[in-house]
Amino acid sequence: MDGVSTEEAEVVLECEDLHRFLGEDENRVHVLDGVSFDLHAGYVYSIMGPSGCGKSTLLYLLGLLDRPDSGAIRLGGQEVSGLDDQQLSVIRNREIGFVFQFHFLLREFTASENVQIPMRRSGVMSRADMQERADHLLELVGLGDKIDRAAHHLSGGEQQRVAIARALANSPRLLLADEPTGNLDTANSERIFDVLQTVARETGLALLIVTHNTQVAYASDFIFTMQDGRMVD
Ligand SMILES: Nc1ncnc2c1ncn2[C@@H]1O[C@H](COP(=O)(O)OP(=O)(O)OP(=O)(O)O)[C@@H](O)[C@H]1O
Ligand SMILES: [Mg+2]
């Protein structure tokens, strides 16, 4: 990690002193206890830490799927706390891509149709443009020959690559991945990571990966270590 300089790169995301409590009354847990960091365009960051330390909770906040109890999140310099749910969902669809451990593809839909879903939601592209972009993204993740195959007729690793292509559909500035290689074998994990890393470098998005895989972490530009809701180092 030494020698990696982000000085010239645009700051995509800043989070500052994030706190999040979950649960009610005596079950109330201080899940995030003051998390701060910046993510720069074109860099790959990983978060490691024991089960239950708050990694997924953090990704939900950064992905604007949940709100912090206190602290600030700025995306491309814009503070998001004052925005309503409708505004957040527009930003989420346009600026942020997600890849989860389980890909949540629509099984009966083809690879291409799955990738087009976020573009349809934005509603700014023609049908032909959406198809063309979906096919391009599927080629990028090495599935150019399977664009018309139904999702449930693809292997686990292939489905995860479709999910990556779908996450890239609207050219996000930030890609969040929560254990994207969690249920895959080593060869597929490496492949998924290579695809994600290449995309980050080529498109200049900031990539944040939660992983238990040390190889994935060591191949990142920066590793954050989390424990009990805090970043430790
Ligand atoms: N709705 C909830 N109510 C109470 N506690 C919750 C709630 N959701 C999550 N938690 C607790 O918050 C803590 C952090 O959960 P989180 O899912 O962020 O962990 P994680 O680091 O992603 O773990 P893993 O590596 O197992 O995925 C855990 O102790 C969890 O039990
Ligand atoms: Mg988790």
Side-chain angles (χ1 to χ4, degrees):
M1 296 208 302
D2 289 339
V4 179
S5 167
T6 56
E7 267 169 44
E8 312 251 309
E10 175 203 350
V11 178
V12 172
L13 176 115
E14 300 161 88
C15 65
E16 204 177 305
D17 202 23
L18 294 179
H19 288 263
R20 185 72 177 111
F21 297 85
L22 290 172
E24 303 291 324
D25 305 324
E26 67 274 15
N27 296 319
R28 194 166 154 87
V29 188
H30 197 171
V31 179
L32 294 180
D33 185 10
V35 174
S36 307
F37 56 78
D38 296 344
L39 302 181
H40 292 79
Y43 287 88
V44 180
Y45 302 81
S46 58
I47 301 182
M48 299 195 83
S51 182
C53 72
K55 306 180 296 295
S56 295
T57 305
L58 176 63
L59 249 60
Y60 269 71
L61 295 183
L62 302 183
L64 314 183
L65 292 163
D66 183 24
R67 292 174 188 266
D69 291 292
S70 65
I73 297 171
R74 284 183 290 276
L75 208 77
Q78 183 185 21
E79 159 73 75
V80 299
S81 67
L83 304 177
D84 65 27
D85 289 350
Q86 168 69 27
Q87 292 168 316
L88 288 182
S89 98
V90 170
I91 293 182
R92 195 188 309 130
N93 191 49
R94 199 173 49 203
E95 313 271 1
I96 306 173
F98 283 97
V99 183
F100 297 99
Q101 179 172 3
F102 302 100
H103 42 72
F104 304 114
L105 298 180
L106 298 177
R107 324 175 1 99
E108 311 287 336
F109 282 46
T110 66
S112 177
E113 287 164 347
N114 270 286
V115 174
Q116 288 175 52
I117 291 170
M119 302 183 231
R120 278 178 208 279
R121 208 179 293 140
S122 293
V124 291
M125 289 167 81
S126 70
R127 179 176 285 260
D129 286 348
M130 290 193 293
Q131 266 164 11
E132 195 182 326
R133 174 146 182 86
D135 296 354
H136 164 73
L137 290 169
L138 286 166
E139 263 161 42
L140 192 71
V141 300
L143 290 174
D145 55 339
K146 293 183 177 147
I147 53 178
D148 290 324
R149 186 159 318 172
H152 65 115
H153 289 148
L154 295 168
S155 74
E158 289 168 345
Q159 292 183 31
Q160 193 60 302
R161 281 186 274 150
V162 175
I164 293 171
R166 181 186 54 186
L168 296 170
N170 289 336
S171 308
R173 284 199 268 189
L174 173 65
L175 185 59
L176 302 171
D178 197 349
E179 298 188 43
T181 63
N183 58 355
L184 300 175
D185 59 44
T186 309
N188 267 304
S189 296
E190 281 173 14
R191 175 110 203 227
I192 295 291
F193 182 76
D194 284 346
V195 167
L196 287 169
Q197 194 175 38
T198 304
V199 162
R201 304 250 189 278
E202 286 182 3
T203 67
L205 57 73
L207 169 61
L208 181 61
I209 308 182
V210 167
T211 185
H212 288 290
N213 183 327
T214 45
Q215 269 170 302
V216 166
Y218 288 139
S220 310
D221 298 312
F222 297 93
I223 306 177
F224 296 121
T225 308
M226 235 180 134
Q227 208 173 337
D228 298 329
R230 292 163 178 265
M231 293 300 184
V232 292
D233 231 340

